[in-house]
Amino acid sequence: MGEHEPLREDQANWRHTLHEVIFEADTPAGKAFDLVLLLLIVASMVAVMLESVAPIAAEYGAWLRVAEWVLTLLFTLEYAARLLTVRHPLRFALSFYGLVDLAAVVPTYLSLLIPGAQSLLVIRALRLLRVFRVLKLVRFLGEAGELARALKQSREKVIIFLGVVLTVDLIVGTLMYLIEGEASGFDSIPRGFYWAIVTMTTVGFGDIAPVTPLGQSLAALVMILGYGIIAVPTGIVTSELARARKPAVTTQACRSCMAEDHDPDAKHCKHCGERL
């Protein structure tokens, strides 16, 4: 029994060291690992984009596909290593970055069954978000957390606002259907609803437009209303941002819950209590 104890301790130390290299950017090894990873991600995205260009694909398609497979295998090994080094693999697998890491390798394997599925590898672009950790831009991590908290705090107001806007669009679309009718392209209430949404958001595709004076007057009112409405959600989120606190954070990652928003002098994770 006793001779197995050092083995377990060595294994724990090995996993801890690998965790620091893969998940954290506080050490030279961790920073080097993440920089290489970012370069490989950029290379894989360039390969995917070049393969979509017909002349390049015709001449170098085979080489590009080989590069995609090599990079996918490397990312697969990296994903497996991440699962191996955390205390709760399932929790990491279901986290945002865990799902992104998985989505970064699935399309290549999926292309064996569905031709062209490898184009979905552009999802790997989301992994470039790690650049903020790698380059020690922790202030951006703090700002990102602050923005996320502001959006969370204002979600009820934004949902109510969107509900009011959709209700107004439905009423306006119905009125336009009654005013213009099928002759002007407003052949149904859903078509009028679509026109109202496009007009109020100031997109204005121009695929359908009123021709009667009354319809044009209503359209002008909706356009002006659209400019006023755009400022509402911006003001809601901005007010929450003004109230938000700006905590200092580090790139220290918890092995247990993967949280990264720790204070600079923290010794334990403030979410689960795990020692950092």
Side-chain angles (χ1 to χ4, degrees):
M1 188 73 180
E3 60 182 349
H4 293 290
E5 295 264 79
L7 181 61
R8 288 199 296 270
E9 185 178 349
D10 291 343
Q11 184 182 20
N13 291 336
W14 174 76
R15 290 180 63 187
H16 177 72
T17 301
L18 188 59
H19 178 273
E20 285 190 347
V21 172
I22 294 177
F23 279 93
E24 299 177 10
D26 290 334
T27 63
K31 186 173 183 178
F33 175 85
D34 282 346
L35 285 174
V36 171
L37 178 62
L38 292 175
L39 291 175
L40 292 178
I41 293 170
V42 171
S44 69
M45 292 173 58
V46 171
V48 171
M49 290 188 290
L50 291 178
E51 193 177 2
S52 68
V53 181
I56 296 178
E59 188 169 354
Y60 303 104
W63 289 103
L64 291 173
R65 282 189 289 275
V66 169
E68 287 175 12
W69 274 104
V70 171
L71 290 170
T72 296
L73 290 175
L74 290 175
F75 290 140
T76 302
L77 291 174
E78 180 234 346
Y79 179 71
R82 289 181 184 275
L83 293 177
L84 180 65
T85 57
V86 296
R87 294 192 184 278
H88 304 285
L90 182 60
R91 185 181 298 176
F92 168 74
L94 296 178
S95 68
F96 172 74
Y97 279 116
L99 293 174
V100 169
D101 291 345
L102 179 61
V105 299
V106 168
T108 304
Y109 298 112
L110 194 61
S111 67
L112 296 174
L113 301 175
I114 306 175
Q118 68 272 15
S119 298
L120 295 174
L121 288 175
V122 293
I123 294 174
R124 287 175 182 169
L126 290 173
R127 305 193 74 197
L128 294 175
L129 293 174
R130 287 192 172 94
V131 72
F132 296 114
R133 297 175 60 252
V134 178
L135 300 181
K136 296 286 188 178
L137 300 178
V138 292
R139 64 183 183 277
F140 288 102
L141 292 176
E143 296 294 339
E146 182 182 339
L147 179 59
R149 285 190 294 274
L151 291 173
K152 184 177 180 180
Q153 291 295 326
S154 59
R155 65 183 183 276
E156 292 88 356
K157 298 175 184 176
V158 172
I159 290 173
I160 293 173
F161 165 76
L162 292 177
V164 172
V165 170
L166 289 175
T167 302
V168 172
D169 283 338
L170 179 59
I171 295 173
V172 170
T174 303
L175 289 175
M176 194 61 74
Y177 164 71
L178 296 174
I179 294 170
E180 293 293 329
E182 189 173 353
S184 301
F186 294 86
D187 52 3
S188 65
I189 292 179
R191 176 77 69 175
F193 186 42
Y194 156 79
W195 172 87
I197 293 175
V198 170
T199 304
M200 186 169 289
T201 54
T202 71
V203 176
F205 291 132
D207 54 342
I208 179 174
V211 295
T212 66
L214 183 56
Q216 291 173 344
S217 299
L218 179 59
L221 180 62
V222 173
M223 294 174 199
I224 295 173
L225 184 62
Y227 281 109
I229 283 178
I230 289 174
V232 175
T234 305
I236 292 173
V237 177
T238 302
S239 65
E240 294 296 338
L241 280 172
R243 275 190 250 172
R245 188 170 57 91
K246 295 184 178 180
V249 295
T250 68
T251 60
Q252 282 283 336
C254 175
R255 290 185 62 196
S256 180
C257 67
M258 283 78 69
E260 296 183 355
D261 55 336
H262 299 105
D263 297 331
D265 59 347
K267 300 299 182 183
H268 296 82
C269 176
K270 62 183 178 183
H271 298 280
C272 68
E274 177 75 15
R275 183 173 179 81
L276 297 175

